[in-house]
Amino acid sequence: MAKKGSKAARAKRASEIVARLRTDYPQAGIVLDYGTDWELLVAVILSAQCTDKMVNLVTAKLFEKYRSIEDYASADPAEFETDIRPTGFFRNKTKHIIGAAQKVLADFGGEIPSSMAELLTLPGVARKTANIVLGNAHPQAYASDPDSGIAVDTHVNRLSRRLGLVSSENSDKIERELMEIVPREDWFQLTYLLIEHGRAVCDAKRPRCADCSLQDICPSAFRV
């Protein structure tokens, strides 16, 4: 689905989408369970290509077993792979989490960095993960960081194209296109609003357009 209308028209539609979805999903926000900023990073890394529900099932045990960032840094890779196996891609995720723990300890005094640039130096952390972690762990830094943006997961990718807001299928390009038409103060919440709507109504294979509050402003509504 290509973007529809001028930049001004898409910006106006985006504003209306945010307003309506805020009414539909007033509690929209992160659903991953975590207790510390480090556990947030672990959960977000594990969530790649995995449902939040499964991640929460895995981390319920993981966070009991590994209580400190030092525990992760010194974890046995083979054992850790077994611990997180249900989340998929467990070998890469193990390498990234252990590597991130070691780097956070070595370079950041054991504290999760509060800037996009520093977060992006951690193993396994690309822009989506960095935006989620920064926005939830350091909201004030996220709001002022010139490098922060919009976390684009599969729901955001799909819905932003269906709604005619962007034309690219590449997540980095989608992020840039959205940042051009969505006010900065809405960047953080936009991700969670689209995720909620994607789960509840705008399903990947069978979107329920008849039940959608965006039907009258969605260019895809009558062609799915």
Side-chain angles (χ1 to χ4, degrees):
M1 184 71 205
K3 56 188 176 186
K4 293 291 184 178
S6 65
K7 181 177 178 180
R10 287 182 287 112
K12 182 178 179 180
R13 190 185 317 130
S15 178
E16 182 64 21
I17 288 167
V18 170
R20 294 188 191 186
L21 294 184
R22 275 182 173 149
T23 298
D24 293 343
Y25 312 104
Q27 303 301 319
I30 192 166
V31 297
L32 293 171
D33 296 331
Y34 64 95
T36 66
D37 292 346
W38 168 252
E39 288 181 351
L40 168 63
L41 176 60
V42 171
V44 177
I45 291 175
L46 291 178
S47 71
Q49 304 297 312
C50 183
T51 66
D52 291 343
K53 181 178 180 180
M54 177 56 72
V55 172
N56 286 338
L57 288 173
V58 169
T59 57
K61 296 179 180 179
L62 193 74
F63 294 161
E64 284 295 318
K65 182 175 181 178
Y66 301 91
R67 304 306 294 265
S68 69
I69 191 169
E70 288 82 3
D71 291 339
Y72 290 85
S74 60
D76 175 72
E79 184 176 353
F80 199 84
E81 287 179 6
T82 300
D83 293 331
I84 67 167
R85 180 181 290 267
T87 68
F89 300 95
F90 53 90
R91 292 188 180 88
N92 276 339
K93 290 177 181 179
T94 292
K95 185 186 347 180
H96 291 156
I97 290 170
I98 292 176
Q102 293 170 347
K103 187 168 181 65
V104 168
L105 286 171
D107 296 351
F108 302 107
E111 300 293 329
I112 297 299
S114 58
S115 75
M116 282 291 294
E118 291 174 328
L119 280 167
L120 290 172
T121 67
L122 302 180
V125 177
R127 284 197 60 86
K128 184 195 81 171
T129 296
N131 275 313
I132 292 172
V133 172
L134 186 62
N136 284 283
H138 303 292
Q140 292 183 330
Y142 169 86
S144 61
D145 194 318
D147 296 324
S148 67
I150 298 171
V152 179
D153 79 334
T154 55
H155 293 287
V156 177
N157 185 310
R158 182 178 75 253
L159 268 66
S160 60
R161 287 185 287 114
R162 278 186 178 171
L163 291 164
L165 299 178
V166 302
S167 58
S168 178
E169 296 185 10
N170 175 274
S171 291
D172 288 340
K173 291 181 180 179
I174 287 174
E175 180 186 11
R176 290 194 292 271
E177 289 186 61
L178 288 174
M179 288 166 63
E180 291 179 354
I181 60 173
V182 176
R184 186 182 180 100
E185 60 266 25
D186 294 332
W187 288 358
F188 179 70
Q189 194 172 25
L190 176 68
T191 294
Y192 295 109
L193 292 173
L194 292 179
I195 288 173
E196 290 287 349
H197 195 59
R199 288 172 174 160
V201 178
C202 197
D203 182 76
K205 295 182 179 179
R206 293 186 177 181
R208 297 191 292 110
C209 296
D211 301 322
C212 182
S213 63
L214 307 177
Q215 183 187 42
D216 61 311
I217 58 173
C218 176
S220 303
F222 302 105
R223 289 192 289 275
V224 293

